[in-house]
Each structure stands twice: as structure tokens, then as C-alpha cells.
Amino acid sequence: MTTLIKNATVVTDGVIENIDVLINEDVICYIGKEATDQQPKATHDINVVDATGCFLLPGVIDDHVHFRQPGLTQKADIATESRAAAAGGVTTYFDMPNTVPQTTSVDALMQKFDIARRESVVNYSFFFGATNDNIAQFSSLDPHIVPGIKLFMGSSTGNMLVDKKQTLDQIFATANMPIMTHCEDTAIINANMAEAKRLYGNDPDVTHHPEIRSREACVECSKVAVDMARRHGTQLHLAHISTREELNLLRPDDKNITTEAVIGHLMFNDRDYARIGTLIKVNPSIKTAEDQAELRKALADGRISVVATDHAPHLLSDKLGGAAKAASGMPSIQYSLLSMLELLDQGVISMERLVELMCHNPAKIFNVSKRGFIRKGYKADLVMVRKVEPWTVRADNVMSKCGWTPFEGHTFSWRVERTFCNGKTVFANGHIVDTNAAEAVRFRE
Ligand SMILES: [Zn+2]
């Protein structure tokens, strides 16, 4: 099938231009004026999409999600969360290994690919989780199907905590693909938690979460990761930077180190705990308004390389309690592009920079094959967005299985109008329309 997207304002490669995009099957075959002239024959078979008034962006690549399958499907699953992704303009996601079983063996990894092949609505891949004793398996990972190795460094998620100095050194020395780190120092967190419990009781109010999961815990651990990447020349991607200090750890010559900011830290700050409570309890914690402001500044000045979500749904019942008892993590993938468009309206970033942060840079960092740009010969992963009358998020908008969002009551001024995945419309006018478009992403080809 051939699809012609007419009159779109196309944003790619740092250029904004009013042009047509022609798609043949799953691939972009022409970009330019008067694309109809480029269509050789069978024009009767052409599906024309009028994109007048819309921006057409590359589909968002979210390099950090937790879709909870297998093993935690009461919270979320690949079918439901990939629908939320499509509705949010996300056409590719990389899922994290803290599922059950953990994705710390090649068998567990292949099991996830099998599920996604059947269930996923958008393109997918899966990080491999490092542990204290699975380094030998790195060499059996296919670098064409896996984005990288996820390392929970000094931070406990399940029992994937890697905190032995010697093991960390070995991981940084051995990794044959990017390492993505979650950096929070467990010893600091444990000491802070003990102190908070002494002061406030066994389950301190969530407003104490940033004192417990403190800035020092993040900064100290990120320093160790940066130091190891420098020593071993490892390609390091620092996940969910949450403090202004971490933004200043890198030097211009750290070409092998990149940084991720996530929606929670960009859109909320510690004053929001009073209003939203444990729904915005995430790890690392959401910190001060000053940290939030500096993170936003870093989007524009290049200290942040990628914007992702760390989409991590929980049941509302998991969110009961305070800083000790309530689960950490929140869903956000359906509203990540809309959030960044809000920052565009506020003058925080340009449209070109938004596309770099959400589409181009994740593709470059993980060396994704033929995605992340609107270019001839690339896969037709695209999202059409339109500026609209402000509208308010309600729980019944939410496609995530958990049925809630920290954005409930939030007003957005943009809409995702249509999402194309491999040339097929997967989402349009508020509905999922095709569930058979997804593919496993390829890397390093
Ligand atoms: Zn995460």
C-alpha cells in the first residue's frame, strides 16, 4: 500500500519544512514538494492523509519503559502499554529488565521478544539486565537485537543490585554495547531511611521521599559510573538524571557518555507531593523546583541528550502508604510528547530540539537501524501532532492498564492526531486502529 501525507509541516534533521511524505509499504520513499508526481502508477490505490495544520515528526523512541510483562501483569502488560505508547506518539520503546523473571538470561530475553511479537502495537526491544554473576552472558547477546545492558548500580530493584566494585569494573570493561545505569547509592539511602523512620515513624510521609532517596545518593553513584566509563572507554547512558549537580559531572571530552532526563523530573517538583502524593513517588525521587528548572535548561543547552519516560505503572493499591510503603514509579508514556510540546510552548526548547531529544538522539546513541528520522529509505514511523484548544486529562483518557495518571486534571494544548508505525496507522482520532504493525527494532547494521 502507498500512503501520501500531504501538506505536513515536517520536522527532521534540524529543519522545519512544509512538504509531502510518500510511504511505500513500511518505508518512506519520497520527501518533498508535489509527492503525487513521484508516485509511478496505481494512484487509485493511494491512501491520502491531509496533514494541513499538523507537525509531522519522527515517531518517538522511548529508551526507558517498564511494561511489567512477564510476571507483573496485574500492573501493566505489553498490549496495554504499547497502546498507550501509540496514543502518545511513541513508535518504539526499550523495556527494562526488572520483570519476573528478570531479563538477566538469554532465555528470559527471548521470551520477552516472543510476547512482544504477539502483543505489541508499536516497535520494541529489551534491555539485558546485568547482575553480579552474568557477565559471561554478554558475549552471547545479539548486538543487532538488544539496545544495551541495564545496570542498577547501587540501587535495589529486585535483586539486580550490582554494588561490588570489582564486578562493576568487570561490567564496564566487558560490555560490548551501551550500558544504561540507574545510579543511586544504597548505603546513603539506607542510612537516610533509618534516620527518617527514627524521626517520623515507620512509614514517613511521601514529602520525605527526596530526603531519603537524596541528591547525594544520586550524585555519589553517578560519579562512580562516569569515572568507570572514563577509565574503560565504555559507552555509558546515565538514566533519569534528577539533580543539577549530576548535570555538571560531564566534560566536553566525555564523548562516550550521554544523559537521559525523564518526564516525571521535568514536569513535577517537590511542591507537587502535597497535591499529587505518592502517585509521583519515583526513583530517583522528584527533587526541588531548582533541579527541575536546571534540567529544563539542560534540555536546550545539550547537557541532556535524551528525553524518555521511565514509564512504570503500578496499581493504585500499590501506591498506598508513604515514603517507605508506597511503590515507586508512575505511568507517563501517553503524555510524554504532549509534555514536551508544552515545554516548547513555554519557550524551554525548540521544535527541532524536541525532535532531537525524543527521536534522533535515542536512535543515534543506540545505533538504531533506519528509524528516528524522516528520511528516504527509513521506516515510516511518524507522528502527526496538532495545536488545539486546551483540553484536560481525565482518567477515562488513560490507556495504561493501571487506569490512572499523574497528569489527571492537567491541561494540554496539543493533541496526537495520528501515529504511523512501519507505514501503518496504529492510532488515529483517539483510537487504536491497527495492532499488527510492530516489529522488533534492529541495531548496529
Ligand atoms: Zn526505570
Side-chain angles (χ1 to χ4, degrees):
M1 196 184 61
T2 301
T3 301
L4 171 63
I5 306 174
K6 279 197 78 66
N7 304 318
T9 303
V10 174
V11 188
T12 188
D13 295 277
V15 177
I16 302 182
E17 222 179 341
N18 215 296
I19 42 176
D20 299 344
V21 173
L22 193 65
I23 304 166
N24 186 20
E25 300 298 334
D26 57 340
V27 171
I28 296 167
C29 61
Y30 176 80
I31 307 161
K33 304 272 183 203
E34 305 299 327
T36 23
D37 303 342
Q38 304 297 319
Q39 175 56 14
K41 47 185 176 298
T43 29
H44 58 277
D45 204 25
I46 195 165
N47 167 32
V48 179
V49 175
D50 182 7
T52 306
C54 288
F55 284 90
L56 185 71
L57 319 179
V60 171
I61 299 175
D62 191 334
D63 72 7
H64 190 163
V65 308
H66 301 262
F67 282 0
R68 307 301 195 196
Q69 193 172 5
L72 301 163
T73 52
Q74 75 280 11
K75 295 176 192 282
D77 61 49
I78 284 175
T80 55
E81 305 317 295
S82 65
R83 281 170 169 75
V90 178
T91 52
T92 293
Y93 61 87
F94 304 157
D95 184 71
M96 290 297 155
N98 57 329
T99 41
V100 181
Q102 295 181 332
T103 318
T104 53
S105 69
V106 173
D107 279 354
L109 180 70
M110 298 325 286
Q111 191 196 345
K112 279 189 159 180
F113 277 104
D114 283 341
I115 299 166
R117 198 171 298 122
R118 293 192 304 269
E119 307 282 339
S120 191
V121 171
V122 296
N123 305 318
Y124 49 86
S125 190
F126 300 94
F127 273 89
F128 187 76
T131 67
N132 279 311
D133 48 27
N134 73 348
I135 299 171
Q137 297 210 35
F138 291 2
S139 59
S140 26
L141 295 174
D142 181 347
H144 300 304
I145 69 166
V146 177
I149 292 160
K150 180 67 186 281
L151 177 59
F152 292 92
M153 197 165 148
S155 159
S156 39
T157 295
N159 47 20
M160 246 183 294
L161 170 65
V162 181
D163 54 1
K164 291 178 199 148
K165 173 96 173 32
Q166 203 190 348
T167 312
L168 286 173
D169 254 320
Q170 260 181 301
I171 290 171
F172 275 81
T174 312
N176 51 348
M177 51 180 82
I179 293 180
M180 183 162 173
T181 48
H182 177 134
C183 287
E184 279 188 295
D185 187 292
T186 311
I188 295 176
I189 294 168
N190 289 347
N192 291 343
M193 180 61 96
E195 178 64 4
K197 284 184 173 178
R198 193 182 66 77
L199 291 171
Y200 313 113
N202 258 341
D203 191 18
D205 188 79
V206 70
T207 50
H208 298 295
H209 184 54
E211 296 158 30
I212 298 161
R213 293 253 171 189
S214 65
R215 58 194 321 105
E216 291 73 24
C218 297
V219 177
E220 289 316 307
C221 194
S222 287
K223 275 185 190 164
V224 175
V226 167
D227 180 57
M228 290 206 172
R230 279 177 185 152
R231 272 193 291 122
H232 296 287
T234 320
Q235 196 185 334
L236 169 66
H237 190 50
L238 290 164
H240 42 48
I241 298 255
S242 64
T243 68
R244 49 194 188 277
E245 290 88 342
E246 287 167 286
L247 289 168
N248 299 324
L249 286 179
L250 296 189
R251 302 187 300 239
D253 61 327
D254 286 324
K255 303 280 182 230
N256 54 321
I257 308 176
T258 51
T259 50
E260 174 200 81
V262 300
I263 292 300
H265 301 124
L266 289 167
M267 299 305 287
F268 301 100
N269 62 59
D270 59 3
R271 291 175 207 154
D272 295 312
Y273 288 118
R275 184 170 57 91
I276 316 179
T278 58
L279 297 188
I280 56 162
K281 180 176 186 256
V282 295
N283 296 340
S285 63
I286 286 168
K287 298 188 174 65
T288 66
E290 291 72 40
D291 292 300
Q292 181 192 25
E294 197 64 17
L295 277 170
R296 286 179 171 200
K297 213 173 127 194
L299 296 179
D301 69 25
R303 284 175 295 164
I304 290 293
S305 326
V306 166
V307 168
T309 58
D310 198 5
H311 177 84
H314 288 288
L315 294 175
L316 275 179
S317 55
D318 300 329
K319 284 294 202 178
L320 298 176
K325 290 212 178 88
S328 290
M330 65 181 200
S332 51
I333 203 164
Q334 199 176 335
Y335 306 103
S336 59
L337 178 55
L338 296 180
S339 295
M340 291 295 286
L341 288 164
E342 181 176 320
L343 298 192
L344 167 89
D345 286 342
Q346 292 177 17
V348 174
I349 45 165
S350 66
M351 187 63 104
E352 297 93 318
R353 182 64 185 154
L354 180 155
V355 166
E356 251 178 7
L357 289 162
M358 303 190 89
C359 316
H360 298 346
N361 287 353
K364 283 186 193 166
I365 289 167
F366 295 99
N367 203 344
V368 173
S369 302
K370 304 277 181 199
R371 301 185 195 276
F373 297 82
I374 303 178
R375 290 177 181 166
K376 188 179 171 187
Y378 274 54
K379 292 283 187 168
D381 292 344
L382 302 162
V383 54
M384 270 164 59
V385 292
R386 186 192 291 280
K387 189 96 196 245
V388 292
E389 283 297 305
W391 63 281
T392 301
V393 177
R394 310 254 174 248
D396 61 5
N397 301 133
V398 174
M399 289 199 184
S400 286
K401 196 176 201 173
C402 64
W404 61 271
T405 168
F407 289 102
E408 190 169 350
H410 189 92
T411 297
F412 286 113
S413 304
W414 289 80
R415 251 184 214 288
V416 173
E417 189 141 308
R418 186 188 282 257
T419 306
F420 297 89
C421 182
N422 301 308
K424 290 177 175 168
T425 297
V426 288
F427 173 84
N429 306 314
H431 299 283
I432 298 294
V433 292
D434 192 324
T435 58
N436 291 304
E439 290 175 0
V441 175
R442 306 265 314 159
F443 303 87
R444 306 168 190 104
E445 291 181 313

